[in-house]
Amino acid sequence: MNMRRIFLSLIICILAFSASAKVTLPKFFSDNMVLQQQSECHIWGWAEPGKKVMVMTSWDKKSYSTSAHWDGRFEVVIKTPKAGGPYTIWLRDGDTVQLSNVMIGEVWICSGQSNMEMQMKGFKQQPVEGTTEELLRCKDEQLRLFTVKRNASLTPVNDVTGLWNEANSASVRDFSATAYYFGRALRSTLDVPVGLIVTSWGGSACEAWMQADWLKAFPKVNQHVTEEDVKKLQQRCPTALYNGQLKPLIGYGMRGAIWYQGEDNVPRYDYYAELLKAMVEGWRAEWKQGDFPFYYCQIAPYDYSLIGWKDSQLLREQQMKAETIIPNARMAVLMDAGLEYGIHPRKKRQAGERLALLALSNTYDVKGLPDFAVYKEVTFQNDTCVISFDRSKEWVYFEHGPSSKNFEVAGQDRVFHPATKVWYSRNRVYVVSDKVKQPAAVRYAWRDWVEGDLMHDGLPVSSFRTDDWDSQPVNTQSKGDYNNPN
């Protein structure tokens, strides 16, 4: 039945293309777009089957030609220069289509769930910190923004709905706050045009952004998705957002991707690191741009008991693990930027700028920027836990004084007690609990809601534990579509 429907759709498309000689392009090939600099960029679209299509670029006056296939699809590969613009691109198969105000620069795909989707204007009664001030100064003709409209689909589609805009108060207000702050930081440091394509959906599961074949390694995931599943689950349905919001973009020349997702996977934390790895590997294989950079936000602290869940620190731990098993991937920590009573933190500037720190340091080789320290190991000296860190050449410290209340210690009985004495020296933290004379494990910020205060060079350190003791399973039932406010 599905094959018959696909075949009929192809016939309809061919008849539609045959009725007009004018080239048709996906929405993201349009005026105001940004193409990745100094690369071979693919441009594709549809024309009358068999018809010759000419493409000309104003920056070098070169022409490229191809012919539309039997289904009307054509594709050319054009060479882009160093960053600059604006330029013009012409496409012709009889009639001419002109793309104006095209910039050449750095392009990033921005994806995830509601904390990536959350616009600068915020959600209703859920503001973004600093929006008013930012909208007064956000005008930037070389920062270009494109938002993919929500679309869940059982089968892959060939286009999206969206529009490229220059950054100004109107376009930024309705654009992802995290992505905007990321792009603004790149513009400021690199001084080249930047294009951001946001494809996200509040409440979406990681599984929804993956192709069916990639999910075969995960037996807990539904392997037989139907139209009813898509209608019922929408953004939580496996493969539905890959098909409806990501597949059409694959092949668009870009530098890398940023990702802010994980809240929906809290109840399924136990395989999240491997799941994210499979997703990234799949995206990279499809894009055919090698191990392109992948930078992501660790979910921020929040009181998950408000939605009937718990133990989100285990998902944060999985995100920390993912950094070690995915090549060319790094995690931005947000332990100091959460909101106890809201799953949508207001501090989106911190999220976007910390993602930009990772990109600028690791992709663009900008020197002098801070780095996120990470837990390395613990040793026990009598009653004292001595914790050391990697990537900590500037030494660790506590944000609000010489000590912290976020540590707890356990002995071999596995019963944790609050630390009674905590201090730091160089890149080590020392922890003692009067109730544990022979410590066997120590944990930092190991709960859903916490105000992280362990810092390094102005950046927070992730929650962590030194043990691998089994935890009680989390509640796997949701109290509704908490992460989908619209």
Side-chain angles (χ1 to χ4, degrees), residues 414-435:
R414 301 189 178 187
V415 177
F416 281 88
H417 302 274
T420 51
K421 187 176 182 182
V422 182
W423 70 99
Y424 57 82
S425 178
R426 296 179 179 265
N427 79 331
R428 286 173 171 76
V429 172
Y430 299 81
V431 184
V432 174
S433 175
D434 291 344
K435 294 185 178 181

Side-chain angles (χ1 to χ4, degrees), residues 198-219:
V198 171
T199 179
S200 58
W201 189 334
S204 61
C206 183
E207 297 90 331
W209 297 99
M210 300 174 66
Q211 197 178 107
D213 285 349
W214 312 342
L215 291 168
K216 290 180 179 178
F218 305 96

Side-chain angles (χ1 to χ4, degrees), residues 28-35 56-59 84-90 97-105 107 139-145 163-168 171 193-195 252:
F28 39 83
F29 292 127
S30 63
D31 294 347
N32 306 318
M33 70 179 179
V34 180
L35 295 178
M56 190 171 120
T57 52
S58 71
W59 54 82
Y87 297 112
T88 303
I89 299 175
W90 297 272
V97 173
Q98 178 174 307
L99 307 182
S100 303
N101 196 24
V102 175
M103 304 302 290
I104 307 295
V107 178
K139 183 176 174 60
D140 185 347
E141 294 178 353
Q142 295 195 48
L143 177 59
R144 306 293 175 84
L145 316 173
L163 185 69
W164 279 104
N165 288 295
E166 297 179 354
N168 53 49
S171 62
V194 171
Y252 192 99

Side-chain angles (χ1 to χ4, degrees), residues 461-477:
V461 177
S462 172
S463 53
F464 62 85
R465 57 175 174 167
T466 68
D467 63 274
D468 58 359
W469 300 335
D470 292 337
S471 298
Q472 293 297 315
V474 298
N475 180 7
T476 59
Q477 299 300 314

Side-chain angles (χ1 to χ4, degrees), residues 23 52-56 63-66 76 90-93:
V23 169
K52 186 176 181 179
V53 178
M54 299 290 296
V55 179
M56 190 171 120
S63 294
Y64 305 81
S65 65
T66 188
V76 296
W90 297 272
L91 300 97
R92 181 176 177 83
D93 74 340

Side-chain angles (χ1 to χ4, degrees), residues 108-142:
W108 286 80
I109 304 296
C110 316
S111 189
Q113 58 182 109
S114 57
N115 279 308
M116 178 61 78
E117 184 182 47
M118 191 176 190
Q119 301 162 316
M120 282 292 290
K121 67 182 179 183
F123 296 135
K124 290 179 173 61
Q125 299 180 325
Q126 300 176 76
V128 169
E129 185 177 274
T131 290
T132 300
E133 296 81 0
E134 194 58 40
L135 291 180
L136 291 172
R137 57 173 179 260
C138 66
K139 183 176 174 60
D140 185 347
E141 294 178 353
Q142 295 195 48

